[in-house]
Amino acid sequence: KVTINTPKLQTADPKVFETLKTSIQEFMENQKWTGDVYEQEERIKLDVVLTIAKELAANTFEAELSLQSSRPVFGSTYETPMFKHLDKDGVFTYNQFKPVEFSQTSFTDNLAYILSFYAYVVIGMDYDSFSPFGGDAYFQTAQDIINRVPPNVTASVKGWRSVDGNRNRYWIAENLLASRVRPFRQAMYDYHRQSLDIMHQDAIAGRAVMTQAIESLSEVNRNYPNSMILQIFASTKSDEIIEIYKAGAAQEKTKVVQVMEKVDPPK
């Protein structure tokens, strides 16, 4: 689902964003991202919200990109959030009726590359939840996208380089591929496949596995303090964790609170 908000629009024709919405929708749905074959019910649900913050030129815009993906939980009608993030570095150029296109071998444009980067991150997170480190190939492709953005582009737009800040696309890919973050990725499998997916049969056993998975994040936090991926996890999962542990034992709640306060300390 694609939504485009234009609260500060002054000169651009609003119809441009109607075709942009269609172009993004078709791009995300029709691009062949993997070699795997998906059934209709296996397709990943993703909400994309593009908010135009500023008109830099007639066809160049500064925007914020909000993404949230989810996957179904086995044996239930519940869908668990997998990746929730706000990218504030979305500068792009768009000409009306021009399709959004991505190339694996050469840079096309910033919008296509940003969307493609997040497509592979979302797919990788989904695969990690179904098999241990199943997202490796997709996270590597996201890293390859970063490496293919030419210097003249990274010099004029932010988000692709480590020097652009400590909360951007560069650091998402770096975190997901870093050896010291591997326990987080194992925890993503345990949390989803070994815990949420069995809760319809045994909520107590599922919650016990989830508690161990969350506790393992302490190791990541010690080895990689202030890592971006742990903060994304907290943003994505905090509400869900609160709901799940309402039925938990006091000891479980205490363990989880202690970890989450370290991962995402009160501001």
Side-chain angles (χ1 to χ4, degrees), residues 108-123:
T108 48
D109 63 75
N110 206 44
L111 178 61
Y113 259 51
I114 291 173
L115 292 171
S116 300
F117 171 83
Y118 283 114
Y120 282 109
V121 169
V122 165
I123 292 168

Side-chain angles (χ1 to χ4, degrees), residues 79-140:
E79 292 183 347
T80 179
M82 293 298 301
F83 179 76
K84 180 180 179 183
H85 180 58
L86 177 64
D87 187 320
K88 297 183 178 182
D89 297 318
V91 174
F92 67 95
T93 297
Y94 175 72
N95 295 307
Q96 193 172 15
F97 303 116
K98 182 180 182 295
V100 179
E101 296 177 319
F102 170 70
S103 169
Q104 287 275 14
T105 57
S106 61
F107 181 79
T108 48
D109 63 75
N110 206 44
L111 178 61
Y113 259 51
I114 291 173
L115 292 171
S116 300
F117 171 83
Y118 283 114
Y120 282 109
V121 169
V122 165
I123 292 168
M125 297 288 280
D126 197 74
Y127 272 77
D128 263 9
S129 78
F130 284 105
S131 63
F133 311 108
D136 274 341
Y138 307 101
F139 297 145
Q140 185 57 59

Side-chain angles (χ1 to χ4, degrees), residues 214 241 252-263:
I214 293 173
I241 290 170
E252 285 182 321
K253 293 178 182 178
T254 299
K255 290 178 179 178
V256 170
V257 167
Q258 288 174 344
V259 175
M260 296 304 291
E261 284 182 342
K262 294 175 183 176
V263 168

Side-chain angles (χ1 to χ4, degrees), residues 8-72:
K8 299 180 180 179
L9 203 60
Q10 294 178 337
T11 60
D13 184 349
K15 292 181 179 178
V16 169
F17 299 101
E18 294 176 13
T19 63
L20 175 60
K21 175 182 175 179
T22 302
S23 295
I24 293 175
Q25 187 99 34
E26 291 176 348
F27 173 66
M28 298 299 280
E29 289 191 342
N30 298 334
Q31 176 79 16
K32 189 167 177 59
W33 301 106
T34 83
D36 294 342
V37 177
Y38 288 81
E39 298 297 332
Q40 187 66 29
E41 67 273 14
E42 293 177 320
R43 299 183 71 175
I44 298 169
K45 186 172 289 186
L46 175 66
D47 288 333
V48 177
V49 180
L50 188 69
T51 301
I52 307 299
K54 190 182 297 184
E55 297 167 83
L56 302 178
N59 61 349
T60 303
F61 308 95
E62 184 179 295
E64 293 185 348
L65 183 69
S66 171
L67 306 101
Q68 181 164 337
S69 68
S70 61
R71 87 155 173 78

